[in-house]
Amino acid sequence: MQPIVIIGSGMAGYTLAREFRKLNTEQELVMICADDAVNYAKPTLSNALVGNKAPEQIGLGDAEKMAAQLNLRIEKHTWVKQIDAENRELHIENQEQTTIQPYSKLILAVGANPIRLAISGDASDDIHVVNSLTDYRTFRENLSKSADKRVVILGAGLIGCEFANDLQNTGHQATVIDLAPQPLGRLLPSHVAEAFKQNLEETGIHFVLGTTVEKVSKHAEQGYIVTLANGQNLVADVVLSAIGLQPNIGLAKDAEIETSRGVVTNTLMETNQADIYAIGDCAEVNGMLLPYVMPLMQQARALAKTLNGQSTSVHYPAMPVAVKTPAAPLTVLPAPLDVDVSWETEELDDGMIAKAFDSSATLRGFVLLGPTAGKQRLTLTKLVPDLIPAAI
């Protein structure tokens, strides 16, 4: 029998391999990845400074350690050039040669790439994105050289706010720019967003909202000049872009695998091509794209069983997201996009509880801001219907 092949060595790929090995120690597993295949948890990157973690301390194991631990063959620094779904083969390429890798089952765990804005200026290529440990290493190197520690962050979403909090708490001056009128625009109702923003501003973080970056230029004495669409200029030592991610769907599209925002799968994580599955940030499961850790874990457990011969649909319970902003502790359970909700808010001494109810008065989402509100997480989560019910 041909091996099961996983493309990608991020959290999705390694979590699936680990879950599968709990069920099956014998089946040959192959992992193919374009980078060095170091295993690490990407969510730790946005608060590693506060945790006093150097980039070399973030990795949980190199390719050799992971291959031994999970009994799998890892082809690192290797690119999949083509998926031949009809013949169940991959055309792969590394520095030395191009070869064919057959598979019995194929899993796309190819993640997502940072969205990049079209920004002019002679320093546009110096804008950092942090989507991998390699990216983070470069970011930290440049950060350590910055004399005045001024960091401009593009994007006031989840990652942008987490990085801002991490940087501000470690002696840097963070300024966050976003076209939206509020931080976490897609996750929070405006009244909660305003309170969240005020909490972060009290630590010294600056927000410049309702505008975008047009140009980043080098300056001999001041590092970089960041020119905004509203005419304002900011001085920065380091510029970081955190405006969101786009699932990697190019390889799938070329293989005539159905894609939309991500690689389209059913609740078995199956694509429209036989024996090809998708998992993690690239997977659009039942119309839902949820680039968070908890959905990934649910996917990995279910798919591991399916790959081992026990067909298992993924179960999505209500899965709140904890935002790593200690200056404004925040837990968010977004309401489904296709559900109209009305908000009810309870003000607390140290924050607020905002609940989203649908037309039948069912709780469909919530936002917990502050330490006291956070204690309601489990109680409220139990009241929210599953996104994808458990199979009976």
Side-chain angles (χ1 to χ4, degrees):
M1 188 180 177
Q2 298 295 358
I4 292 173
V5 176
I6 300 168
I7 305 176
S9 63
M11 276 187 82
Y14 274 126
T15 303
L16 176 61
R18 190 173 292 110
E19 291 297 326
F20 182 74
R21 277 292 178 242
K22 290 176 186 175
L23 306 172
N24 187 322
T25 56
E26 300 303 316
Q27 163 69 44
E28 187 185 354
L29 270 184
V30 175
M31 179 179 279
I32 300 171
C33 52
D35 62 13
D36 56 12
V38 169
N39 179 29
Y40 66 97
K42 196 192 289 186
T44 62
L45 299 180
S46 61
N47 66 345
L49 279 162
V50 163
N52 204 24
K53 280 199 164 186
E56 53 273 16
Q57 295 172 303
I58 292 169
L60 304 170
D62 61 15
E64 290 68 31
K65 179 181 175 180
M66 299 313 299
Q69 193 180 96
L70 296 169
N71 182 25
L72 78 162
R73 174 161 59 88
I74 298 178
E75 299 287 349
K76 58 183 182 177
H77 302 300
T78 299
W79 286 261
V80 177
K81 308 304 283 185
Q82 184 192 342
I83 298 169
D84 181 347
E86 192 177 337
N87 294 306
R88 287 179 165 75
E89 289 178 344
L90 303 177
H91 295 240
I92 64 173
E93 181 180 289
N94 58 26
Q95 279 102 335
E96 286 107 45
Q97 57 188 359
T98 302
T99 53
I100 300 290
Q101 171 63 60
Y103 65 84
S104 58
K105 312 266 187 191
L106 177 66
I107 296 89
L108 303 179
V110 292
N113 270 338
I115 298 165
R116 287 183 180 267
L117 293 174
I119 294 171
S120 64
D122 61 2
S124 61
D125 288 345
D126 292 0
I127 297 172
H128 290 270
V129 293
V130 175
N131 194 43
S132 68
L133 188 51
T134 305
D135 292 342
Y136 187 67
R137 202 173 284 121
T138 307
F139 173 67
R140 284 283 290 266
E141 280 169 12
N142 281 13
L143 208 55
S144 66
K145 297 174 195 165
S146 66
D148 296 314
K149 300 185 181 296
R150 297 162 301 191
V151 183
V152 168
I153 299 171
L154 320 187
L158 197 128
I159 302 301
C161 288
E162 289 185 350
F163 267 108
N165 197 142
D166 198 40
L167 288 159
Q168 195 69 35
N169 282 349
T170 48
H172 300 82
Q173 172 55 62
T175 302
V176 184
I177 300 155
D178 203 297
L179 191 54
Q182 64 178 57
L184 298 180
R186 293 178 185 172
L187 293 176
L188 303 183
S190 56
H191 63 290
V192 184
E194 186 55 38
F196 173 75
K197 173 171 162 276
Q198 284 175 8
N199 286 0
L200 292 184
E201 284 175 335
E202 283 167 14
T203 70
I205 295 169
H206 295 308
F207 285 92
V208 184
L209 302 173
T211 190
T212 188
V213 174
E214 283 195 342
K215 188 163 122 182
V216 179
S217 314
K218 293 175 183 173
H219 191 281
E221 292 158 19
Q222 294 184 303
Y224 300 107
I225 304 294
V226 179
T227 305
L228 307 184
N230 66 3
Q232 194 177 344
N233 283 334
L234 302 171
V235 178
D237 299 292
V238 175
V239 182
L240 172 66
S241 179
I243 57 169
L245 297 171
Q246 270 178 335
N248 283 325
I249 59 174
L251 190 62
K253 280 177 101 165
D254 291 345
E256 297 183 353
I257 294 167
E258 188 186 347
T259 60
S260 179
R261 290 174 302 153
V263 179
V264 173
T265 83
N266 59 17
T267 57
L268 291 169
M269 313 306 297
E270 295 172 321
T271 68
N272 62 311
Q273 293 279 22
D275 295 319
I276 299 181
Y277 305 80
I279 184 175
D281 287 1
C282 71
E284 185 177 340
V285 186
N286 243 28
M288 286 180 280
L289 204 55
L290 298 176
Y292 306 113
V293 174
M294 282 179 71
L296 183 158
M297 298 294 184
Q298 297 291 114
Q299 293 167 12
R301 289 184 198 116
L303 183 52
K305 290 178 184 173
T306 297
L307 295 174
N308 196 43
Q310 182 190 345
S311 191
T312 304
S313 286
V314 68
H315 168 221
Y316 277 178
M319 296 176 284
V321 178
V323 184
K324 297 190 294 294
T325 47
L330 186 69
T331 300
V332 185
L333 180 62
L337 293 173
D338 57 351
V339 177
D340 285 329
V341 295
S342 54
W343 289 91
E344 290 182 13
T345 305
E346 180 188 347
E347 298 275 351
L348 305 171
D349 290 342
D350 62 354
M352 59 179 71
I353 298 172
K355 301 174 188 175
F357 292 96
D358 65 17
S359 56
S360 62
T362 301
L363 184 67
R364 302 304 296 268
F366 56 79
V367 180
L368 308 175
L369 178 64
T372 304
K375 294 172 184 173
Q376 294 293 313
R377 174 182 175 143
L378 282 174
T379 306
L380 292 177
T381 301
K382 289 173 185 170
L383 300 174
V384 181
D386 290 356
L387 285 170
I388 299 177
I392 297 168

